[in-house]
Amino acid sequence: MRNWTAILLIIFFSGRISAQTEKFQPAGSFKAEIGLANNASNEAFRDLMQGLFNITAGYQYTLPNSLSFGAGIRHNYFTVNQFKNNIDLRGGIHFGGVYGKIGIENYYGQFGIDIGIRSGYNMMASVTNKCKEANEGLKIFDGGFIEPVINLGLLADEQSSFYLNLTYAFHMFKFQPYHVCENDFSAYSPEGLDKITSYFVIGFGYSFYFAQ
C-alpha cells in the first residue's frame, strides 16, 4: 500500500512539474497597444508637436519555428506644443494607417519576447487654427512608414499576456509649414527641416492567444 501511495505521489508531482515547465507556444493572437510618442527628428516637428496618444491593434500568427506575421491598424495623435511655439498655432495632427509586420515571437517560461518590423501606409490630417483661417478645414497628406518593434511580455495565463512596447517610427515625409497651413518656419534652418519625421514610442500592450 505504501509503495502504491509513493508511486501515485511521484506521478502526481511529475505531472505538476511537467505542466509548469512545458513551453508556451504562441499561435494566433490579437494584440492591442497604447503608448506615448516622443519626437526625435525634424526640428520643427520635434519642437512644435507633442504626442498625446498612440494606439495600435492587430492580428498576429506565430509559426512553430517562432517566425511571426501580422497586420493591423493604428491611430496616433500629435497636439501642438503650446509652450514651444510662438506662431499662435493651435490644434493637432491625426495619423491613421494600416500596417503589416514580420518578426519573431518566443516564450521562455513566463517571459516572452516579440521583435519585428512593421511597415505600412498612413493618412494624416491636420486640424489647426491656421487651416481653419485659410478655409481649408482639414489639411490631408499621406506617406509610408517603417517601425522596428520590441515587445517584452509576461504571461498572465494560458491565453493572455501583458507586455512593454518599445517602437521607433520612421515616417517618409518631411514636416513642412504647409502641413499645418503655415507660411514658413523662419526659426528653423533648411537643414533642420530636411529630415524625415521620426518618433520613439513607449507603451503597454495586451495579447490574447486564440490557440497554442
Side-chain angles (χ1 to χ4, degrees):
M1 184 65 180
R2 290 181 180 178
N3 290 338
W4 280 107
T5 301
I7 292 172
L8 290 173
L9 287 174
I10 290 172
I11 293 174
F12 174 77
F13 285 110
S14 297
R16 294 281 294 181
I17 293 172
S18 175
Q20 290 174 2
T21 59
E22 182 180 354
K23 183 179 179 180
F24 176 78
Q25 177 61 55
S29 62
F30 167 78
K31 295 184 180 293
E33 301 161 7
I34 185 166
L36 182 65
N38 299 278
N39 303 343
S41 67
N42 188 290
E43 292 181 3
F45 190 80
R46 184 179 61 207
D47 289 348
L48 296 178
M49 311 303 297
Q50 59 183 355
L52 191 60
F53 62 79
N54 182 89
I55 298 174
T56 303
Y59 177 82
Q60 180 167 301
Y61 188 81
T62 302
L63 300 174
N65 64 359
S66 300
L67 186 63
S68 64
F69 302 90
I73 57 176
R74 66 204 299 276
H75 181 207
N76 302 359
Y77 181 67
F78 291 85
T79 186
V80 172
N81 189 336
Q82 295 299 314
F83 300 100
K84 287 192 175 182
N85 91 86
N86 57 3
I87 55 176
D88 190 33
L89 184 65
R90 298 184 301 276
I93 304 176
H94 291 273
F95 287 54
V98 295
Y99 70 86
K101 178 189 174 187
I102 183 169
I104 294 174
E105 182 181 24
N106 210 341
Y107 272 85
Y108 307 90
Q110 297 294 105
F111 175 75
I113 184 167
D114 177 12
I115 61 175
I117 295 179
R118 291 196 290 232
S119 179
Y121 175 81
N122 262 336
M123 291 290 292
M124 283 78 81
S126 287
V127 186
T128 69
N129 59 318
K130 300 292 184 177
C131 292
K132 292 178 181 178
E133 291 169 6
N135 295 318
E136 293 191 38
L138 298 177
K139 181 70 175 181
I140 305 294
F141 52 103
D142 59 2
F145 67 89
I146 297 174
E147 49 185 25
V149 181
I150 299 177
N151 296 326
L152 304 175
L154 189 65
L155 281 175
D157 53 44
E158 294 181 351
Q159 285 191 297
S160 59
S161 72
F162 295 91
Y163 57 89
L164 173 68
N165 168 247
L166 305 173
T167 303
Y168 200 105
F170 300 90
H171 286 265
M172 303 300 119
F173 78 95
K174 299 173 182 179
F175 185 65
Q176 301 294 322
Y178 65 85
H179 286 133
V180 289
C181 303
E182 185 59 71
N183 294 323
D184 63 72
F185 290 151
S186 58
Y188 301 96
S189 66
E191 294 77 14
L193 296 175
D194 192 28
K195 296 178 180 178
I196 64 171
T197 302
S198 66
Y199 53 84
F200 180 68
V201 177
I202 300 176
F204 294 95
Y206 171 76
S207 294
F208 178 83
Y209 293 97
F210 298 103
Q212 294 188 47

